[in-house]
Structure formats: C-alpha cells, structure tokens
Amino acid sequence: MGRSRRTLPEELLLLALDPTTGTTAQPQSLDLGLAGAQLVELALAGRIAPDGDRIAVVMPRPTGDPTLDSALELLRRRGSPVRAVHWIGGPRLGLRQIYLAHLERCGMVHAVAGQMCGVLPTTRYQATDTAISRDIRARLDSAIRTGVPPDPRTAALAALAHAVGLGKHLYPGNEGRSSRSRLRDLIRHDPMGGLVAHAVMDVQNGVAAQPRRSPGAAGAGRQGAGVSMQQRRSGMARVAAH
C-alpha cells in the first residue's frame, strides 16, 4: 500500500484534531474508532472480509503499512474469525498516541511541547498541511450537503466519525443539528463501515460483554442501520472484494 493515499485511521485522527488547541476531540472513544478504521482499511485492501458479525483474514500478505500490518498479524494469530465488537473492544487502547506518532513520522503533524498550569508537561499536535484536513472535511460536507451517495471510503469515515461522537465537534450547536443527523444517516452507504461503526457504538454501550444477539434483533435495535443484516453481508462481501 503506497503512501499516496491516506488510510482511514489517519483521516479519522486528522478529522478529530482541533487546529486551535492541538488536541483531539473524543479521545476515549477515538481509540475504538481507530481500531474500527483499521478493520475497514484492511477490508478495502482485500486482507480481511466479514463473516456475519465476525472478521476473517483472507489474505495475510502485508500491506506495507506497519501499523495496519501489526493489526493484520494479530488477527491472523487468532486462527479463526473474531467478532468485530470483541476485536474493537480488545486490549489495544493507546492507538491514538500510536497514530499521532505515526503521523509525526510521516510529516503530517508536528508536536509542540508545552506545560499545563506552568508545571505539567503537555504535547499538542498541529497539522503541517492544513489543506489535507480541509480536503477530508470537504468530503464529509459534500456528502452531507448534496445527498449524493459517497464513495465507500468517505461513507466509512462518516460512519466512524458518528460512532465516536465527532458530530458535535464537526457540526456544533443547534445550527449543526441537521448536519449531525445527515452524518449519522451516511452510515447506511457502506456496509463494512456500518458494521464496524455499530461495533464501536456497541462497545461504548457495553454490548460487547452481552450474549450474541440474533441478526434480526440486532438490526432492529440499531438506529439508522437502514438495511437488514443479510443485505449488509452481501454488500460487505462486495466492498471487501475491491
């Protein structure tokens, strides 16, 4: 995988990075979103594919991206398909810092050392090329404004942004209410992104620890799903094939 195209985890993190404060919005849920974004990126690269609500490795060949390949190797070592909700809720927290360091090495952000209250050391991150962040945001804005179905990558990014709670950061206040609603609705345009986004929300809601629900019950209980589980599976297989 070349470096000419940014990965979904990178885009999600840049989307969450506040250019004024140099901090990330929704830091706790962002780790979960980054783990989910890795799954979508690996699926788009043809390395994994959905198997119901589980994720299976179909091609263990490395992508060339060290951070994604680390996730791919962990999935391969499982030996059998793993539920998306269990993978995302697993002990891989800290992805935010891993990806911030990754973006710094790639030259997409630079770290600014500082102090809190004049004592505690802090680190803020500033994007080195604000045009990149503007392009990411413009893709979401266009999908929301035009109503035209976005490409799978943008649809997955929108689904993950909604899942981790970035809607109120991107479109704040009462004036942003309709945009937040349309951001949520974009989740239906990419089955793989939708599956992962719902898994992110399930982890936050404590569903990962509960017994597995039937596909019908799961589909009926999730707001904004828009498609049946059977439709998701067929759609996800097409996404993973690209």
Side-chain angles (χ1 to χ4, degrees):
M1 182 179 295
R3 295 304 305 155
S4 60
R5 185 172 64 184
R6 297 175 299 274
T7 66
L8 275 174
E10 292 169 355
E11 290 196 327
L12 183 64
L13 184 53
L14 287 171
L15 196 63
L17 192 62
D18 190 314
T20 302
T21 65
T23 60
T24 54
Q26 304 299 110
Q28 294 181 336
S29 58
L30 191 56
D31 274 340
L32 303 176
L34 290 171
Q38 287 183 322
L39 291 181
V40 179
E41 190 65 50
L42 288 171
L44 289 171
R47 297 324 196 257
I48 65 175
D51 181 6
D53 64 346
R54 296 174 182 268
I55 303 296
V57 175
V58 295
M59 185 190 297
R61 180 167 56 86
T63 65
D65 181 296
T67 314
L68 286 175
D69 289 340
S70 176
L72 179 62
E73 177 62 14
L74 288 174
L75 284 166
R76 186 192 67 80
R77 290 179 184 176
R78 292 292 184 96
S80 60
V82 58
R83 289 186 66 199
V85 70
H86 287 163
W87 170 260
I88 290 170
R92 280 175 316 286
L93 298 181
L95 277 178
R96 182 168 48 97
Q97 291 302 324
I98 291 173
Y99 266 103
L100 282 170
H102 171 71
L103 290 179
E104 187 178 15
R105 288 193 301 271
C106 294
M108 293 189 190
V109 303
H110 70 274
V112 179
Q115 289 184 329
M116 180 182 297
C117 300
V119 178
L120 299 176
T122 61
T123 303
R124 296 181 295 111
Y125 293 87
Q126 299 292 337
T128 56
D129 186 351
T130 56
I132 294 176
S133 298
R134 287 198 302 269
D135 172 69
I136 298 170
R137 175 65 181 270
R139 282 162 47 206
L140 288 187
D141 289 345
S142 176
I144 288 174
R145 183 179 64 255
T146 64
V148 176
D151 62 275
R153 183 173 294 273
T154 301
L157 180 62
L160 289 163
H162 166 69
V164 302
L166 287 183
K168 59 187 177 183
H169 166 71
L170 299 171
Y171 308 103
N174 289 332
E175 64 275 14
R177 183 178 300 172
S178 61
S179 293
R180 293 196 298 272
S181 177
R182 288 193 289 270
L183 179 70
R184 179 197 64 210
D185 291 343
L186 289 175
I187 201 170
R188 72 183 187 273
H189 289 296
D190 178 57
M192 181 64 181
L195 170 71
V196 170
H198 282 305
V200 169
M201 291 185 284
D202 281 349
V203 172
Q204 295 180 81
N205 293 330
V207 179
Q210 298 177 7
R212 182 178 179 178
R213 297 171 292 175
S214 67
R222 288 169 174 168
Q223 182 180 8
V227 293
S228 68
M229 182 62 75
Q230 184 176 1
Q231 288 171 318
R232 286 181 193 165
R233 290 176 182 173
S234 61
M236 285 185 287
R238 291 194 298 270
V239 173
H242 290 298

